[in-house]
mmCIF file of all heavy atoms in Angstrom:
data_model
loop_
_atom_site.group_PDB
_atom_site.id
_atom_site.type_symbol
_atom_site.label_atom_id
_atom_site.label_comp_id
_atom_site.label_asym_id
_atom_site.label_seq_id
_atom_site.Cartn_x
_atom_site.Cartn_y
_atom_site.Cartn_z
ATOM 1 N N GLU C 1 -2.387 4.552 16.289
ATOM 2 C CA GLU C 1 -1.786 3.535 17.148
ATOM 3 C C GLU C 1 -1.932 2.141 16.549
ATOM 4 O O GLU C 1 -1.047 1.290 16.687
ATOM 5 C CB GLU C 1 -2.429 3.580 18.531
ATOM 6 C CG GLU C 1 -2.090 4.840 19.325
ATOM 7 C CD GLU C 1 -2.891 4.940 20.610
ATOM 8 O OE1 GLU C 1 -3.752 4.055 20.843
ATOM 9 O OE2 GLU C 1 -2.687 5.909 21.363
ATOM 10 N N ARG C 2 -3.041 1.900 15.883
ATOM 11 C CA ARG C 2 -3.324 0.566 15.356
ATOM 12 C C ARG C 2 -2.726 0.332 13.973
ATOM 13 O O ARG C 2 -2.535 -0.813 13.569
ATOM 14 C CB ARG C 2 -4.840 0.332 15.358
ATOM 15 C CG ARG C 2 -5.375 0.140 16.777
ATOM 16 C CD ARG C 2 -6.847 0.445 16.910
ATOM 17 N NE ARG C 2 -7.292 0.165 18.271
ATOM 18 C CZ ARG C 2 -7.098 0.986 19.300
ATOM 19 N NH1 ARG C 2 -6.456 2.136 19.112
ATOM 20 N NH2 ARG C 2 -7.535 0.664 20.506
ATOM 21 N N LEU C 3 -2.457 1.419 13.251
ATOM 22 C CA LEU C 3 -1.847 1.279 11.927
ATOM 23 C C LEU C 3 -0.336 1.082 12.004
ATOM 24 O O LEU C 3 0.255 0.429 11.152
ATOM 25 C CB LEU C 3 -2.142 2.522 11.079
ATOM 26 C CG LEU C 3 -3.569 2.690 10.570
ATOM 27 C CD1 LEU C 3 -3.749 4.084 9.989
ATOM 28 C CD2 LEU C 3 -3.913 1.626 9.536
ATOM 29 N N GLY C 4 0.274 1.650 13.024
ATOM 30 C CA GLY C 4 1.730 1.617 13.110
ATOM 31 C C GLY C 4 2.353 2.714 12.268
ATOM 32 O O GLY C 4 3.051 3.587 12.761
ATOM 33 N N SER C 5 2.085 2.696 10.987
ATOM 34 C CA SER C 5 2.548 3.743 10.075
ATOM 35 C C SER C 5 1.456 4.006 9.053
ATOM 36 O O SER C 5 0.831 3.074 8.539
ATOM 37 C CB SER C 5 3.825 3.306 9.350
ATOM 38 O OG SER C 5 4.115 4.195 8.281
ATOM 39 N N ARG C 6 1.256 5.280 8.739
ATOM 40 C CA ARG C 6 0.223 5.618 7.767
ATOM 41 C C ARG C 6 0.641 5.290 6.334
ATOM 42 O O ARG C 6 -0.193 5.355 5.421
ATOM 43 C CB ARG C 6 -0.158 7.094 7.896
ATOM 44 C CG ARG C 6 -0.952 7.366 9.168
ATOM 45 C CD ARG C 6 -1.390 8.791 9.311
ATOM 46 N NE ARG C 6 -2.214 8.939 10.509
ATOM 47 C CZ ARG C 6 -3.545 8.910 10.509
ATOM 48 N NH1 ARG C 6 -4.202 8.764 9.380
ATOM 49 N NH2 ARG C 6 -4.221 9.038 11.636
ATOM 50 N N ARG C 7 1.879 4.915 6.146
ATOM 51 C CA ARG C 7 2.313 4.519 4.801
ATOM 52 C C ARG C 7 1.558 3.289 4.309
ATOM 53 O O ARG C 7 1.411 3.080 3.108
ATOM 54 C CB ARG C 7 3.819 4.256 4.784
ATOM 55 C CG ARG C 7 4.672 5.512 4.886
ATOM 56 C CD ARG C 7 6.123 5.224 4.561
ATOM 57 N NE ARG C 7 6.733 4.356 5.552
ATOM 58 C CZ ARG C 7 7.326 4.780 6.663
ATOM 59 N NH1 ARG C 7 7.374 6.077 6.927
ATOM 60 N NH2 ARG C 7 7.871 3.925 7.518
ATOM 61 N N ILE C 8 1.063 2.500 5.262
ATOM 62 C CA ILE C 8 0.332 1.296 4.874
ATOM 63 C C ILE C 8 -0.965 1.639 4.144
ATOM 64 O O ILE C 8 -1.448 0.864 3.318
ATOM 65 C CB ILE C 8 0.047 0.413 6.116
ATOM 66 C CG1 ILE C 8 -0.349 -1.000 5.666
ATOM 67 C CG2 ILE C 8 -1.026 1.030 7.010
ATOM 68 C CD1 ILE C 8 -0.441 -1.985 6.811
ATOM 69 N N LEU C 9 -1.541 2.807 4.409
ATOM 70 C CA LEU C 9 -2.774 3.212 3.730
ATOM 71 C C LEU C 9 -2.558 3.317 2.225
ATOM 72 O O LEU C 9 -3.368 2.821 1.432
ATOM 73 C CB LEU C 9 -3.278 4.541 4.286
ATOM 74 C CG LEU C 9 -3.664 4.556 5.762
ATOM 75 C CD1 LEU C 9 -3.936 5.986 6.224
ATOM 76 C CD2 LEU C 9 -4.892 3.682 6.006
ATOM 77 N N LYS C 10 -1.460 3.946 1.840
ATOM 78 C CA LYS C 10 -1.159 4.083 0.402
ATOM 79 C C LYS C 10 -0.855 2.729 -0.222
ATOM 80 O O LYS C 10 -1.291 2.438 -1.349
ATOM 81 C CB LYS C 10 0.011 5.039 0.188
ATOM 82 C CG LYS C 10 0.296 5.330 -1.295
ATOM 83 C CD LYS C 10 1.395 6.350 -1.462
ATOM 84 C CE LYS C 10 1.559 6.745 -2.933
ATOM 85 N NZ LYS C 10 1.786 5.602 -3.838
ATOM 86 N N ARG C 11 -0.141 1.874 0.496
ATOM 87 C CA ARG C 11 0.173 0.548 -0.049
ATOM 88 C C ARG C 11 -1.095 -0.251 -0.312
ATOM 89 O O ARG C 11 -1.238 -0.892 -1.354
ATOM 90 C CB ARG C 11 1.089 -0.217 0.908
ATOM 91 C CG ARG C 11 2.499 0.331 1.004
ATOM 92 C CD ARG C 11 3.468 -0.718 1.520
ATOM 93 N NE ARG C 11 3.132 -1.187 2.858
ATOM 94 C CZ ARG C 11 3.568 -0.619 3.984
ATOM 95 N NH1 ARG C 11 4.356 0.460 3.919
ATOM 96 N NH2 ARG C 11 3.237 -1.113 5.163
ATOM 97 N N VAL C 12 -2.019 -0.196 0.633
ATOM 98 C CA VAL C 12 -3.284 -0.920 0.475
ATOM 99 C C VAL C 12 -4.093 -0.356 -0.690
ATOM 100 O O VAL C 12 -4.586 -1.104 -1.545
ATOM 101 C CB VAL C 12 -4.087 -0.866 1.791
ATOM 102 C CG1 VAL C 12 -5.540 -1.284 1.570
ATOM 103 C CG2 VAL C 12 -3.438 -1.751 2.846
ATOM 104 N N LEU C 13 -4.220 0.972 -0.736
ATOM 105 C CA LEU C 13 -4.977 1.606 -1.825
ATOM 106 C C LEU C 13 -4.356 1.312 -3.184
ATOM 107 O O LEU C 13 -5.069 0.991 -4.152
ATOM 108 C CB LEU C 13 -5.044 3.121 -1.604
ATOM 109 C CG LEU C 13 -6.202 3.672 -0.789
ATOM 110 C CD1 LEU C 13 -6.041 5.177 -0.610
ATOM 111 C CD2 LEU C 13 -7.543 3.361 -1.444
ATOM 112 N N ASP C 14 -3.044 1.422 -3.276
ATOM 113 C CA ASP C 14 -2.361 1.193 -4.554
ATOM 114 C C ASP C 14 -2.571 -0.241 -5.038
ATOM 115 O O ASP C 14 -2.780 -0.482 -6.236
ATOM 116 C CB ASP C 14 -0.866 1.482 -4.434
ATOM 117 C CG ASP C 14 -0.563 2.973 -4.337
ATOM 118 O OD1 ASP C 14 -1.485 3.780 -4.567
ATOM 119 O OD2 ASP C 14 0.591 3.317 -4.015
ATOM 120 N N ARG C 15 -2.526 -1.179 -4.113
ATOM 121 C CA ARG C 15 -2.677 -2.574 -4.529
ATOM 122 C C ARG C 15 -4.098 -2.851 -5.014
ATOM 123 O O ARG C 15 -4.291 -3.525 -6.033
ATOM 124 C CB ARG C 15 -2.298 -3.504 -3.378
ATOM 125 C CG ARG C 15 -2.315 -4.947 -3.807
ATOM 126 C CD ARG C 15 -1.737 -5.883 -2.802
ATOM 127 N NE ARG C 15 -2.024 -7.255 -3.204
ATOM 128 C CZ ARG C 15 -1.922 -8.306 -2.411
ATOM 129 N NH1 ARG C 15 -1.495 -8.151 -1.161
ATOM 130 N NH2 ARG C 15 -2.213 -9.514 -2.864
ATOM 131 N N ILE C 16 -5.091 -2.345 -4.301
ATOM 132 C CA ILE C 16 -6.475 -2.550 -4.735
ATOM 133 C C ILE C 16 -6.733 -1.844 -6.063
ATOM 134 O O ILE C 16 -7.402 -2.375 -6.952
ATOM 135 C CB ILE C 16 -7.456 -2.085 -3.647
ATOM 136 C CG1 ILE C 16 -7.407 -3.061 -2.460
ATOM 137 C CG2 ILE C 16 -8.885 -1.986 -4.185
ATOM 138 C CD1 ILE C 16 -8.271 -2.670 -1.285
ATOM 139 N N ALA C 17 -6.177 -0.636 -6.222
ATOM 140 C CA ALA C 17 -6.328 0.094 -7.483
ATOM 141 C C ALA C 17 -5.762 -0.718 -8.648
ATOM 142 O O ALA C 17 -6.344 -0.758 -9.741
ATOM 143 C CB ALA C 17 -5.635 1.445 -7.393
ATOM 144 N N ALA C 18 -4.645 -1.413 -8.418
ATOM 145 C CA ALA C 18 -3.986 -2.164 -9.484
ATOM 146 C C ALA C 18 -4.609 -3.533 -9.707
ATOM 147 O O ALA C 18 -4.747 -3.992 -10.852
ATOM 148 C CB ALA C 18 -2.505 -2.329 -9.158
ATOM 149 N N GLU C 19 -5.007 -4.206 -8.630
ATOM 150 C CA GLU C 19 -5.436 -5.602 -8.736
ATOM 151 C C GLU C 19 -6.941 -5.792 -8.729
ATOM 152 O O GLU C 19 -7.440 -6.857 -9.105
ATOM 153 C CB GLU C 19 -4.818 -6.423 -7.593
ATOM 154 C CG GLU C 19 -3.305 -6.467 -7.614
ATOM 155 C CD GLU C 19 -2.743 -7.308 -6.483
ATOM 156 O OE1 GLU C 19 -3.424 -8.268 -6.055
ATOM 157 O OE2 GLU C 19 -1.621 -7.003 -6.026
ATOM 158 N N GLY C 20 -7.691 -4.786 -8.244
ATOM 159 C CA GLY C 20 -9.131 -4.937 -8.159
ATOM 160 C C GLY C 20 -9.559 -5.395 -6.774
ATOM 161 O O GLY C 20 -8.772 -5.361 -5.818
ATOM 162 N N PRO C 21 -10.814 -5.827 -6.621
ATOM 163 C CA PRO C 21 -11.371 -6.161 -5.299
ATOM 164 C C PRO C 21 -10.562 -7.239 -4.585
ATOM 165 O O PRO C 21 -10.196 -8.250 -5.186
ATOM 166 C CB PRO C 21 -12.777 -6.657 -5.623
ATOM 167 C CG PRO C 21 -13.091 -6.088 -6.978
ATOM 168 C CD PRO C 21 -11.795 -6.020 -7.699
ATOM 169 N N LEU C 22 -10.291 -6.998 -3.279
ATOM 170 C CA LEU C 22 -9.495 -7.935 -2.489
ATOM 171 C C LEU C 22 -10.058 -8.072 -1.080
ATOM 172 O O LEU C 22 -10.556 -7.105 -0.501
ATOM 173 C CB LEU C 22 -8.039 -7.450 -2.393
ATOM 174 C CG LEU C 22 -7.195 -7.468 -3.667
ATOM 175 C CD1 LEU C 22 -5.867 -6.763 -3.414
ATOM 176 C CD2 LEU C 22 -6.971 -8.899 -4.147
ATOM 177 N N PRO C 23 -9.921 -9.269 -0.485
ATOM 178 C CA PRO C 23 -10.245 -9.443 0.930
ATOM 179 C C PRO C 23 -9.030 -9.129 1.787
ATOM 180 O O PRO C 23 -7.903 -9.035 1.277
ATOM 181 C CB PRO C 23 -10.595 -10.927 1.014
ATOM 182 C CG PRO C 23 -9.697 -11.561 -0.003
ATOM 183 C CD PRO C 23 -9.582 -10.552 -1.132
ATOM 184 N N ALA C 24 -9.237 -8.997 3.074
ATOM 185 C CA ALA C 24 -8.119 -8.696 3.974
ATOM 186 C C ALA C 24 -7.061 -9.789 3.947
ATOM 187 O O ALA C 24 -5.868 -9.510 4.058
ATOM 188 C CB ALA C 24 -8.649 -8.501 5.398
ATOM 189 N N ARG C 25 -7.487 -11.056 3.754
ATOM 190 C CA ARG C 25 -6.509 -12.162 3.781
ATOM 191 C C ARG C 25 -5.549 -12.136 2.594
ATOM 192 O O ARG C 25 -4.553 -12.865 2.591
ATOM 193 C CB ARG C 25 -7.230 -13.499 3.860
ATOM 194 C CG ARG C 25 -8.147 -13.790 2.704
ATOM 195 C CD ARG C 25 -8.903 -15.104 2.902
ATOM 196 N NE ARG C 25 -9.986 -15.220 1.944
ATOM 197 C CZ ARG C 25 -9.838 -15.624 0.693
ATOM 198 N NH1 ARG C 25 -8.631 -15.966 0.247
ATOM 199 N NH2 ARG C 25 -10.882 -15.710 -0.119
ATOM 200 N N ALA C 26 -5.842 -11.310 1.575
ATOM 201 C CA ALA C 26 -4.940 -11.209 0.425
ATOM 202 C C ALA C 26 -3.662 -10.452 0.767
ATOM 203 O O ALA C 26 -2.697 -10.492 0.009
ATOM 204 C CB ALA C 26 -5.647 -10.512 -0.739
ATOM 205 N N PHE C 27 -3.664 -9.775 1.914
ATOM 206 C CA PHE C 27 -2.508 -8.984 2.314
ATOM 207 C C PHE C 27 -1.675 -9.785 3.315
ATOM 208 O O PHE C 27 -2.184 -10.187 4.371
ATOM 209 C CB PHE C 27 -2.957 -7.660 2.936
ATOM 210 C CG PHE C 27 -3.662 -6.768 1.956
ATOM 211 C CD1 PHE C 27 -5.028 -6.930 1.713
ATOM 212 C CD2 PHE C 27 -2.982 -5.781 1.273
ATOM 213 C CE1 PHE C 27 -5.688 -6.114 0.810
ATOM 214 C CE2 PHE C 27 -3.643 -4.959 0.363
ATOM 215 C CZ PHE C 27 -4.995 -5.129 0.127
ATOM 216 N N GLU C 28 -0.432 -10.024 2.981
ATOM 217 C CA GLU C 28 0.453 -10.772 3.871
ATOM 218 C C GLU C 28 0.934 -9.841 4.968
ATOM 219 O O GLU C 28 1.737 -8.945 4.734
ATOM 220 C CB GLU C 28 1.637 -11.346 3.091
ATOM 221 C CG GLU C 28 1.236 -12.382 2.050
ATOM 222 C CD GLU C 28 2.426 -12.942 1.304
ATOM 223 O OE1 GLU C 28 3.562 -12.588 1.676
ATOM 224 O OE2 GLU C 28 2.212 -13.719 0.360
ATOM 225 N N ASP C 29 0.397 -10.058 6.128
ATOM 226 C CA ASP C 29 0.662 -9.123 7.222
ATOM 227 C C ASP C 29 0.469 -9.877 8.528
ATOM 228 O O ASP C 29 -0.616 -9.897 9.090
ATOM 229 C CB ASP C 29 -0.310 -7.940 7.135
ATOM 230 C CG ASP C 29 0.006 -6.850 8.147
ATOM 231 O OD1 ASP C 29 0.870 -7.080 9.008
ATOM 232 O OD2 ASP C 29 -0.616 -5.784 8.069
ATOM 233 N N PRO C 30 1.512 -10.553 9.021
ATOM 234 C CA PRO C 30 1.352 -11.379 10.216
ATOM 235 C C PRO C 30 1.170 -10.593 11.501
ATOM 236 O O PRO C 30 0.666 -11.118 12.479
ATOM 237 C CB PRO C 30 2.656 -12.186 10.256
ATOM 238 C CG PRO C 30 3.647 -11.310 9.550
ATOM 239 C CD PRO C 30 2.869 -10.608 8.476
ATOM 240 N N GLY C 31 1.550 -9.319 11.518
ATOM 241 C CA GLY C 31 1.437 -8.534 12.738
ATOM 242 C C GLY C 31 0.000 -8.158 13.030
ATOM 243 O O GLY C 31 -0.842 -8.081 12.144
#
């Protein structure tokens, strides 16, 4: 219910895998 779509899990993992350690504010997500 809180994720909206589970596709966001892969997007988050892929970005951290590629870019390295990130804080939550690094993700542009106004919702």
Side-chain angles (χ1 to χ4, degrees):
E1 291 172 357
R2 288 157 177 80
L3 288 169
S5 168
R6 288 182 176 264
R7 288 192 294 272
I8 196 171
L9 298 171
K10 185 176 186 305
R11 290 201 299 271
V12 165
L13 271 176
D14 287 349
R15 185 170 170 196
I16 289 177
E19 298 181 30
L22 292 172
R25 61 184 167 81
F27 295 84
E28 295 181 5
D29 186 352

